[in-house]
Amino acid sequence: MKLSIKIKYKSVSTLGLILIGWSSIAQAAYLPGDQNLIYAQVGSVFDSNVFRVESPQKVPSSYHAGKLSDLITVATLGGQYQESLGRQSLQFGGSYNQNSYASYSGLNYKSWDFNSDFNWQVTSLLSGALHYHDKQEEPTLNLSNQVGRDVVRTQTTGMDFAWVPVSSWEFDAGYQHQTMRHQVQNTLDFNQNLISGGVWYSTPKGSRFGLLIENGDVTYPSFLTSDQTYSYRQTDEKISFEWPASTKLMLKATVGRSVLKFKHDGSPDRTHSLQDLSAVWNVDAKSRFTVGYQSAPVAPGLSTDDVMNKSLYLLYNVKLSDKFALDSAVRESSLHYLSSGTQVKTRSYRATLQWDPWRMWKIETYAQFAKRKSGFSQDSYDVNQLGINFRYTF
């Protein structure tokens, strides 16, 4: 597969106008808890394997790669704004990033994450929200195996409704339209229309039980099979519960099934089980452990094969002092290609230390180590990252 190194530039004039508006509102220096703010951040990360390959020999000759590592600088400008309008509220925010490689400038790319929400409430019983989300990023480590590291843009528009006739019952409904576009793997581009509904019951002691259903139509406009567009309808049916076992322990579980019915000829339907289990233990007021397990088909836009994504994780968060906090994570992810029996496993370790030396400054250092072991030929690799970020909030 050829690597496209052409970067499509996005105008930042709109972002500039937004930030000018924010600056007129933020007349005083930032205070913790402020809802309206602007921030600037610069970071640097050493990446030991920017191409995600086994050896330099696997890199296209056009890069003249004598090494796999590089130093990446990320410059970020972002902010958020929130306004209350009686029972309604408006919120929007986001960040815009320039990702620059010191040696391999052909990998430079722009990323962003913008969102807006309008939350409304007619009475105390009926409420809802309108959403818009626009995000461009690189795929996650355990799913990115393309030389050059594909860049993906996802746009989501949606609306939600909630009706609470009595305090113990809640009825939810929603609609979402989502599109994903790849710079390299455009056969994975997709459009999705998703309708969801659910009912929740809450007990006097804080437990919640829910019945949930999602029904989505997915189409891959650039991928044809038997001269037909690859498309299907996916229906997820789930049962969910949340149980505060004690003042320190919260247990959550969601189980169900996912059914894919293809609209084109030649592909059999797929049925898979769904699991999402987690336990959160608040050791004390400053520290927390989280352990969890997830199993589900890969999300649209990641693969058209019959693939299950299973993940086991352990998180530890602790506030060391008023100025220092530590977050750590261990994850074991595996992709199961059911048609061939092939597995791709990724184990990663990450630790992040946050330091707030002054009110408007935040300094973050992190280290991540990941090992990918693949059943596919020439698809295994190791990658280590060491980084630091400096953020100033106006």
Side-chain angles (χ1 to χ4, degrees):
M1 180 173 294
K2 293 184 178 180
L3 168 66
S4 172
I5 61 175
K6 295 182 179 179
I7 305 299
K8 294 181 180 179
Y9 291 91
K10 179 180 175 71
S11 172
V12 297
S13 59
T14 302
L15 176 62
L17 292 174
I18 292 173
L19 294 179
I20 291 172
W22 279 334
S23 63
S24 65
I25 296 172
Q27 300 177 0
Y30 168 76
L31 293 173
D34 283 353
Q35 297 297 321
N36 303 325
L37 57 89
I38 306 169
Y39 68 85
Q41 178 174 297
V42 61
S44 185
V45 55
F46 170 80
D47 191 306
S48 68
N49 188 351
V50 297
F51 295 100
R52 305 297 189 258
V53 293
E54 288 182 313
S55 65
Q57 289 71 33
K58 306 300 180 183
V59 182
S61 59
S62 59
Y63 282 96
H64 307 287
K67 60 177 183 178
L68 297 179
S69 62
D70 205 350
L71 187 66
I72 309 165
T73 300
V74 183
T76 302
L77 186 63
Q80 67 180 42
Y81 173 73
Q82 181 171 314
E83 181 71 28
S84 296
L85 307 169
R87 288 184 172 182
Q88 283 57 248
S89 66
L90 175 67
Q91 181 273 332
F92 60 89
S95 61
Y96 189 83
N97 316 287
Q98 174 63 54
N99 305 267
S100 303
Y101 290 70
S103 299
Y104 299 111
S105 60
L107 296 179
N108 292 355
Y109 71 99
K110 301 179 187 298
S111 60
W112 58 80
D113 189 349
F114 297 120
N115 64 83
S116 62
D117 298 276
F118 177 71
N119 301 287
W120 56 267
Q121 184 174 5
V122 177
T123 68
S124 59
L125 307 181
L126 182 62
S127 61
L130 302 175
H131 312 285
Y132 176 73
H133 190 196
D134 187 344
K135 185 174 185 177
Q136 177 163 295
E137 61 179 346
E138 287 185 333
T140 56
L141 286 176
N142 67 310
L143 291 172
S144 176
N145 64 344
Q146 298 300 318
V147 175
R149 303 174 67 182
D150 201 359
V151 178
V152 178
R153 182 180 182 183
T154 306
Q155 294 175 282
T156 305
T157 304
M159 61 182 69
D160 300 315
F161 304 90
W163 178 46
V164 186
V166 293
S167 60
S168 57
W169 286 94
E170 178 179 327
F171 297 86
D172 299 331
Y175 168 77
Q176 177 179 286
H177 174 72
Q178 186 175 77
T179 64
M180 178 180 286
R181 296 295 182 263
H182 298 69
Q183 288 187 5
V184 178
Q185 292 180 283
N186 52 27
T187 56
L188 293 179
D189 294 348
F190 78 90
N191 305 320
Q192 180 186 54
N193 291 301
L194 179 69
I195 299 175
S196 61
V199 55
W200 288 90
Y201 174 73
S202 302
T203 69
K205 294 186 177 181
S207 297
R208 299 182 73 214
F209 301 88
L211 298 175
L212 314 171
I213 185 169
E214 296 178 348
N215 196 51
D217 290 318
V218 182
T219 301
Y220 288 73
S222 300
F223 183 51
L224 299 178
T225 176
S226 301
D227 295 326
Q228 300 178 74
T229 302
Y230 188 87
S231 60
Y232 58 84
R233 173 166 291 179
Q234 180 172 347
T235 302
D236 292 350
E237 301 166 338
K238 296 175 283 188
I239 300 174
S240 183
F241 86 92
E242 302 172 3
W243 176 40
S246 69
T247 56
K248 293 186 175 183
L249 180 62
M250 170 65 78
L251 302 177
K252 296 182 180 181
T254 299
V255 296
R257 70 169 187 168
S258 177
V259 179
L260 273 69
K261 293 185 177 294
F262 289 91
K263 298 181 180 181
H264 56 268
D265 298 331
S267 295
D269 296 342
R270 302 172 184 171
T271 301
H272 301 297
S273 61
L274 302 171
Q275 296 96 32
D276 187 352
L277 314 174
S278 67
V280 180
W281 178 36
N282 296 289
V283 182
D284 50 40
K286 295 183 176 181
S287 58
R288 178 177 71 249
F289 280 102
T290 304
V291 62
Y293 172 78
Q294 296 173 326
S295 177
V298 294
L302 299 178
S303 177
T304 54
D305 292 329
D306 192 2
V307 186
M308 288 292 291
N309 188 4
K310 300 182 179 182
S311 177
L312 181 66
Y313 60 90
L314 174 65
L315 313 177
Y316 177 60
N317 312 92
V318 58
K319 190 168 181 61
L320 302 173
S321 68
D322 291 340
K323 295 183 178 294
F324 287 93
L326 176 66
D327 298 326
S328 57
V330 180
R331 297 180 184 273
E332 177 85 31
S333 301
S334 61
L335 299 174
H336 296 250
Y337 291 76
L338 302 182
S339 58
S340 64
T342 306
Q343 292 188 29
V344 178
K345 295 184 177 181
T346 303
R347 177 175 294 177
S348 64
Y349 307 86
R350 183 181 176 94
T352 303
L353 179 64
Q354 296 179 2
W355 176 33
D356 300 327
W358 303 285
R359 184 181 63 198
M360 294 178 288
W361 282 94
K362 180 184 293 290
I363 301 175
E364 178 185 83
T365 60
Y366 62 91
Q368 178 165 288
F369 310 93
K371 184 177 183 65
R372 176 185 175 102
K373 186 176 181 181
S374 176
F376 294 106
S377 175
Q378 303 178 357
D379 188 39
S380 300
Y381 57 78
D382 298 342
V383 55
N384 304 321
Q385 294 178 328
L386 296 172
I388 186 168
N389 296 318
F390 298 89
R391 175 181 294 196
Y392 182 81
T393 304
F394 299 91

